[in-house]
Structures are given as structure tokens and as C-alpha cells.
Amino acid sequence: MTPSPHRRRAMAGTAVTALLSAGLVVTAAPVSAAPSADALIAEVYGGGGNTTATLTSDYVELANRSTAAVSVDGWSVQYLPAAPKPTSTWQTTALTGSVAPGAKYLVGEAKGTGGSTALPTPDATGNINMSATAGTVALVSGSDPLTCLTAADCAADPRVHDLVGFGGAVVVEGTSAPAPSNTTAVSRTAGDTDDNSKDFATATPAPTNSKGETTGGGPTPPTGIPARIHDIQGTTRLSPLVGKQVSDVPGIVTGVRTFGNSQGFFFQDPTPDADPRTSEGIFVYTGSAKATVQPGDSIKVSGKVSEFYPDESGAKSLYQSNTELGSATVTVLSSGNPLPPAEVLHPDTVPTTFAPTGGNIEGLTLQPDKYALDFFESREGMRVEVDDARVVGPTDKFNELYVTTKPAQNPSVRGGTVYLGYDDNNAGRLEVQSLIPFAQTPFPKANVGDKLTGATAGPLDYTQFGGYVVQATQLGSLVSGGLQPETTDKQTVDELAVATYNVENLAPTDAQAKYDRLATNLVHNLAGPDIVSLEEIQDNSGATDDGTVAADQTLQKFADAVVAAGGPKYKWTEIDPTNDADGGQPGGNIRIAFFYNPKRVSLVDRPGGDATTATTIVDNHGKAELSISPGRVDPTNPAWNASRKPLAAEFRFQGREVIVIGNHLVSKLGDQPDVGRNQPPTRGSEVQRGQQTAALRAFVDQILAVNQKANIVIPGDFNDMQFSPTVATLTAGGALRDLVNELPANQRYSYVYQGNSEVLDHLLVSTAPRGVEYDVVHVNSEFFDQASDHDPQVVRFRPSTGNEFLDQLLDLAHCFAPPAK
């Protein structure tokens, strides 16, 4: 659930790792050729001469976004039908000459009988009759026809310099550009991300040749609407000038991104307007081409306005967009100018209310004095500053962390920011990334509660997985908050200790260091629990999808590490799942397993359990027993589709029975993001989790119907908050206690996500156990160096005998009980 060291044009490694651990099957991204850094296809039009068309001919327009001329002598433009057959061939048009830097190159194609306006004089001429609505066009560094008929084969052909498939074409980069028509072309809106759907949109045909001549026959006048940045940004989340060319937009360069395929720069108008709703900063996207400007340059920019969505285009996106300029021409007027001052975000600067509501908020007029998301949107692209920023989300492997601008807002007991309700989403959180080369200033390795003293400042960006982010050009100095991993108390000799720990895709191929860390957590930080519910135990081949389902090697390696760390010689019990049926990392077959200390507890072993056979409740003279132990709870119920099935086992401790039901509910994947354009977000995954907890509650009710004094413990990763409907299904009527709710509010968390310290893991108990002591043991989630992304938790209690008088005597004896050995 964590999800860019940089701006994400596709799912970055952080997100993939998080989605896999959350239980999603992730498919490979479409194959594509390398992005073009110089000459590329700028526009394609196939409706020339058709009914309703104005232009008489089809055309392909090239553009050069580099600073040097690109020779196309011996190159070709080639065309393939949208749905090629095995006998299909590429049609070619030979090219000559070169494309000047920042200029266009027009390739005229077949002429039809309709239309009234001729193309400007083409720089090359062919006779390809292209479809008006669907097809593929390639710019090829050679004249021989291509032979590839699939996207993967064309991506592998080094002659393909650029390619666009439109209208649902088979051969595409990424996914298809939209379908044009007799009156529209597909026109590049930004640089080259190797995803046609993101790089192209439909637009009015505007053929331009190398001389700058348009259909009018003369040189192209300075194109675009003269504008300032605040005119482009407007008063809503969407630019009033989206899709239009703007010219001579002035500003000062404030930050340059120099890595990956998402290069570009931020610039800001030093002369703002008086409207607090309109941002004075914006990003200029140059793709894989390095920006040629430096911070402090005074510039004028001409380019095309677009709204870039970080996940999918247009209506499909769940996120907000970035307003940006693409296909830009930049004129440097002077250098070494002071940067516009950064707006310092004091604790009371950002509103406390998180977002407006009512569905898609993109078209709503911004109210930056009322809503946090509106405040940040009204500063999109502008320099902001947080002084002495407290870290509330630790540095991840992609060099990003979270700070808060509101240190007094829901502080956790250890320096984070606690998430206590859907209507109390912490508004002060900001992600921090860095535009500073790491060789110059390494990114800080920060834990929760640390501080970045001094100023952390830079342009404000928006990313898919982090929301609003400071792209720092200045980083505060890291000062440790002294955070240390926690330890819990040892259970006494007459207390049973039950723990839950999500060990994050533990596989035999993991480094021994991970096993040793987890083992140390169990032995020292958790004081050797008697029973441990382990979530995300992978099979013996890990993520290799080879049909393996057994996990004995994983569990043996873990048990051996516990012994090496000085802990008990745990036995384990589990049930192998059906291959690839329980979600999680493809091939990993994650499951729930129990460790138990045979010197303290015994497993009531009743055979018969397998992946699809349900354990049921047996009434044995008023004592509730499991028909199968261990056994799965209602495993064929559709509620558990593509998700882990609960594992129930009956244990005996000092002559008393305890039923433990381990869980790992379906992930929150598919929920709309908190920082997205739909407010409030729809949490669609709650439906399946609600069905799962309904099935689980029905099973618990069957136990209690036999014995109201049954000792029941329900540990696990519930993938949901303590205030959610998911958990409320279990706690309704008071039959079960969700122990996290019995902690002080500032201690209710086991996971840190986007700077929110929140609850995903739970321990619930029935009303029978006595002397209940509960602890979330923070050893992972707040630290940049983690063995897992979850914190474990433990409950210590004295099981009921079912005899009230005897229980009272045992409670009295407990006062003299020594710690367990």
C-alpha cells in the first residue's frame, strides 16, 4: 500500500511492490520502443478528401524537439492498417532532407475527391491512403518496409524511431491514441512517454511544413494565445486553455527535473495577480529530452496546454491532473535572477478541512481558504516552504518521505500523524522528493519523528501515489528524533500471549537478514508469544509461478532463525492454498500460518483440512470444538474469491481451549484515492471485506451459540481501519472486542501510509478472556529500514475455564504468577 522517486508516467517500482504485497495480480506493461528525444510524429490525419473534410489530402507531420537538426535522408514514414492480417504489409513514403530544431516537416499523402483546401507544400510526398479513424504510422530510420505486425515485434525493431497507433489499432506504443475523423487529426499534446493514449489527443488538423507554412500558404505567424501562468492555471483544477497553444508566457525557472522520461522544468511568474485561486507556477514537460534552462533563468515559453493524469487519460483517471505545457519553445531572456520567494506554510496556513465533496471536484471553483486540497491545487507548480518540518512518513527505497505542516494535528505518541476517521484526514501532510542531484545532496534517511531543520522548499507537484509533493530544491538538515523499536512485556506463566505479524511476502529466497530481523522481533520485541498468526507466508518457490504451493521451507527457515535468536522452538501449522487462488504476488501463494510454542500450548490436531474443506463447529456437551483443526472457515464462499481464507485452529493452554482464527482480508486496491478528483472517495473494496467479515462473524456466532464463555482470538491483517464498516460487522453487539480501540487515540496505528499512521492490523477477542493486556509493538512502519511494512501486535490474557468461581480463584493466584519461561 505504499506506493516515485520522480514523476510517474507509468506505475513505478514502489507502487508495484505495494500492490503485490496488498494482494493484486499485476500484469506486465505493454512493450514499447525507446522514447524519441529528437524527431517524432507530431500529427496524423487520414480524412483528406473525404465527405465533410476541408483538407483535400492525408498527411503526417513530424517535429524536432531537440536543439540540433535531424537528418531524415533515407528514412521513411510507413503505414499499417489498424487490424493487420498475416498477409498485411507496411506502405512507405521516402523522406529526404532534415528537420530543423523546433521545426516541422510535412509528409503529404493520398488525395481524395472531397475537401476544398490543399496542404501547404509538403517536404515529402507519398500516395498512402490512410484510414480516417484507425491505423498505425511509424517514423522509420530506413526505407525498407517494416515486417512487424505486433506491438512487441515493432518495439523490438531498432529502425522504428517513433510510432503512433490510433483508433484502437493493434500496433501501438502503450495503448491506442483516440480515434480521429474526417474533420480531426491525432495531435501530440506533450513529449514522448511511449504511451500513445497519453501523448496524443484529437484536434483540428493543422498541417505545417518546414518553412512554417500552413494551409494559408504563408509563414506561420507567432502562434498561440498570449498568456501568463495564472491565465493558464485558472480558478479550477482544469485549465480554461487546455488544448490550446499559448505564447510568450513569462516566468523564472524554479526547478529542473533531469532524470528519466519525465524531464522538464518548473517556472513561476514573479508578478502574480491578486486572485488567490490562480497558481503562478507550472511544469513544462520535455519528455526524455534534457531541459536546457537553469534555475534563475528568466524565460518566455510558447507551447500547448494539457492536463496530464498520472495513471490513465481523461475520464478513466481516479486522480487529479497536472496542468502543464508541452511541445514548448523556450526563449531565455537572462540568467542568474533571484527565484520568486517561496510561500512558507505555517501550522495555520493550510486549511484543516481536507477537501470539498460532491463527486468529481475538478470543475469546482477553488476555495483555497477553506479546503486543503484546494489550497495545494491553487499553488500547483509554485514554490512552497516548510520550516523545521517533522517527518510523519519515513524515507522509502525510492527516496521520498512525508512531513506535516500541522505538527499539532492528531500527533501520534511517537511523532507521526494518526488517522482517526474518514472525516479527519490529516490535511497537513506533504510528500517530499528532491530535484537536487543525490551526488550533491544525498536524500535524508529519515524515521518518523525526525526533523528537517531549516527550510525545505521547492515547486509543488502532484503525483499518482503521493498526492501533493514538494520537489525540493532546498532540503532541511536531518535531525534525529531518537525513535527506537519498541519491546513489550513478557507474559506471566498463567497468561497466554497471542500475536499477529504480516511478514510481507516472506519467501525462502529472501535474504537471511530479513529472517533474522523478523526472528529478533518475535523473540525480543514481542517477548516470545505462545501463538503467532503469520500473514503473507509464501510458498517454497516464492514468486516463481511454477505450481508450488507447499511452504514448509519458508516456515522451517523462519523457525530456525527464531531458535538462533534465542527464542522458542516453534512448531507450525497451516493449510496449503489452491495454486494462484488466494491473491497476492503472482506465484507466491501467500497464506496464514500459525507458529506455536509446544512447551506452552498444544495444538488440538483434528485432521481433514485442505484448501476447500470447511471446518465447522461441533457441540461437545456444551463445549465448542472445531471439526477440523486447523481448518479453513467457509473457504468456498465467494466472499473469499482471490483472497486469503481464514485459518482456524484449536489450542489447549493449561487445560483450557482457545480458538484462534487468523485472517488476511482482501486489500484496499481499487479504492478511489484520498487525494483524487472524486470526493469523498468511493471505497469499493469495502464491499468484499464486508462480505468476508459477515462470514467470519457467522462462524463466531456459531461458536458462541454453543458456549458463550468460549475463548476466541481473531488476529490478522484486516486491511481496514478500526472505524470502518468492515470491523463494525465483527464488533456489533459487543460479542467481540477490537482491542486497538481500547488504546489511547494517539497509539492507534500499525502501518504508515502517505504520512498517515493508521490501523490495518487487528486483534479481537471474545468477552471470556480475563486480564487482557494488548500492545502494538512498533518495530517497522515508522522506520526507513524495515523488515516488513506492518507492525506486529500481541495480546496477553488468562483464558476462561467456563467456571466463574474457578476463574476468580485463578485471578487471585495470578497476582503471584512469575513470567513465563
Side-chain angles (χ1 to χ4, degrees), residues 71-75 94-99 105 123-124:
S71 173
V72 293
D73 261 330
W75 287 27
L95 308 181
T96 59
S98 63
V99 189
Y105 183 105
D123 299 293

Side-chain angles (χ1 to χ4, degrees), residues 38-40 61-76 94-107 121-124 139 208-212:
D38 42 49
L40 44 68
E61 182 186 276
L62 309 180
N64 179 6
R65 59 178 178 163
S66 70
T67 58
V70 176
S71 173
V72 293
D73 261 330
W75 287 27
S76 60
L95 308 181
T96 59
S98 63
V99 189
K104 302 293 180 65
Y105 183 105
L106 185 63
V107 183
T121 303
D123 299 293
L139 174 60
T208 304
N209 63 17
S210 61
K211 298 179 181 179

Side-chain angles (χ1 to χ4, degrees), residues 193-444:
T193 71
D194 271 1
D195 190 332
N196 296 156
S197 68
K198 294 181 178 180
D199 293 342
F200 288 85
T202 56
T204 302
T208 304
N209 63 17
S210 61
K211 298 179 181 179
E213 296 173 337
T214 63
T215 51
T220 305
T223 57
I225 303 166
R228 301 188 80 96
I229 293 174
H230 50 252
D231 299 323
I232 299 169
Q233 289 284 12
T235 60
T236 72
R237 285 171 165 77
L238 303 177
S239 171
L241 300 177
V242 65
K244 298 183 182 300
Q245 293 284 337
V246 292
S247 63
D248 296 332
V249 182
I252 305 292
V253 177
T254 58
V256 180
R257 180 181 284 123
T258 58
F259 33 73
N261 294 328
S262 301
Q263 299 192 51
F265 61 88
F266 296 90
F267 76 117
Q268 183 171 334
D269 194 331
T271 308
D273 65 6
D275 192 338
R277 301 169 299 180
T278 56
S279 173
E280 302 294 343
I282 200 168
F283 183 72
V284 178
Y285 172 63
T286 62
S288 59
K290 186 175 180 179
T292 58
V293 296
Q294 297 295 326
D297 285 352
S298 175
I299 60 175
K300 285 190 174 181
V301 180
S302 298
K304 190 171 186 178
V305 180
S306 66
E307 294 290 346
F308 170 72
Y309 290 91
D311 57 339
E312 296 189 58
S313 61
K316 295 180 180 179
S317 177
L318 298 176
Y319 291 83
Q320 299 182 62
S321 61
N322 283 294
T323 305
E324 60 183 35
L325 295 176
S327 303
T329 301
V330 181
T331 302
V332 178
L333 305 177
S334 62
S335 299
N337 299 282
L339 302 186
E343 180 178 7
V344 180
L345 305 182
H346 298 290
D348 57 353
T349 303
V350 180
T352 300
T353 303
F354 191 67
T357 59
N360 187 336
I361 62 174
E362 287 181 307
L364 300 180
T365 299
L366 297 175
Q367 300 182 69
D369 59 338
K370 189 173 181 180
Y371 301 112
L373 290 190
D374 284 14
F375 175 90
F376 292 132
E377 178 64 21
S378 70
R379 273 76 174 170
E380 180 187 78
M382 293 177 63
R383 297 187 72 234
V384 297
E385 176 180 324
V386 187
D387 294 336
D388 297 331
R390 191 180 83 227
V391 176
V392 295
T395 304
D396 65 20
K397 68 181 71 175
F398 289 93
N399 294 304
E400 49 199 15
L401 57 80
Y402 280 83
V403 300
T404 181
T405 69
K406 293 180 172 296
Q409 186 179 41
N410 297 329
S412 79
V413 69
R414 287 165 56 86
T417 300
V418 184
Y419 186 27
L420 296 175
Y422 295 134
D423 58 350
D424 194 15
N425 203 337
N426 294 293
R429 296 169 297 125
L430 270 181
E431 188 180 0
V432 176
Q433 298 178 9
S434 180
L435 296 178
I436 309 169
F438 294 161
Q440 175 183 330
T441 303
F443 196 81

Side-chain angles (χ1 to χ4, degrees), residues 562-592:
V562 171
V563 172
K569 191 172 183 179
Y570 282 124
K571 289 187 175 182
W572 70 80
T573 187
E574 55 91 26
I575 290 179
D576 293 336
T578 301
N579 187 46
D580 289 339
D582 282 12
Q585 191 172 18
N589 287 312
I590 57 175
R591 84 286 310 275
I592 299 152

Side-chain angles (χ1 to χ4, degrees), residues 490-499 522 526-533 568-571 594-603 651-654 660 794-797 799 820-821:
K490 182 71 175 177
Q491 67 271 31
T492 64
V493 69
D494 61 354
E495 287 179 324
L496 180 67
V498 180
L522 290 185
L526 288 171
D530 301 309
I531 301 169
V532 187
S533 173
K569 191 172 183 179
Y570 282 124
K571 289 187 175 182
F594 293 129
F595 269 178
Y596 63 97
N597 182 355
K599 291 186 176 182
R600 295 267 297 157
V601 298
S602 59
L603 171 69
F651 294 93
R652 186 169 289 120
F653 174 72
Q654 297 180 352
V660 183
V794 62
V795 59
R796 297 178 294 274
F797 63 92
K821 292 182 180 181

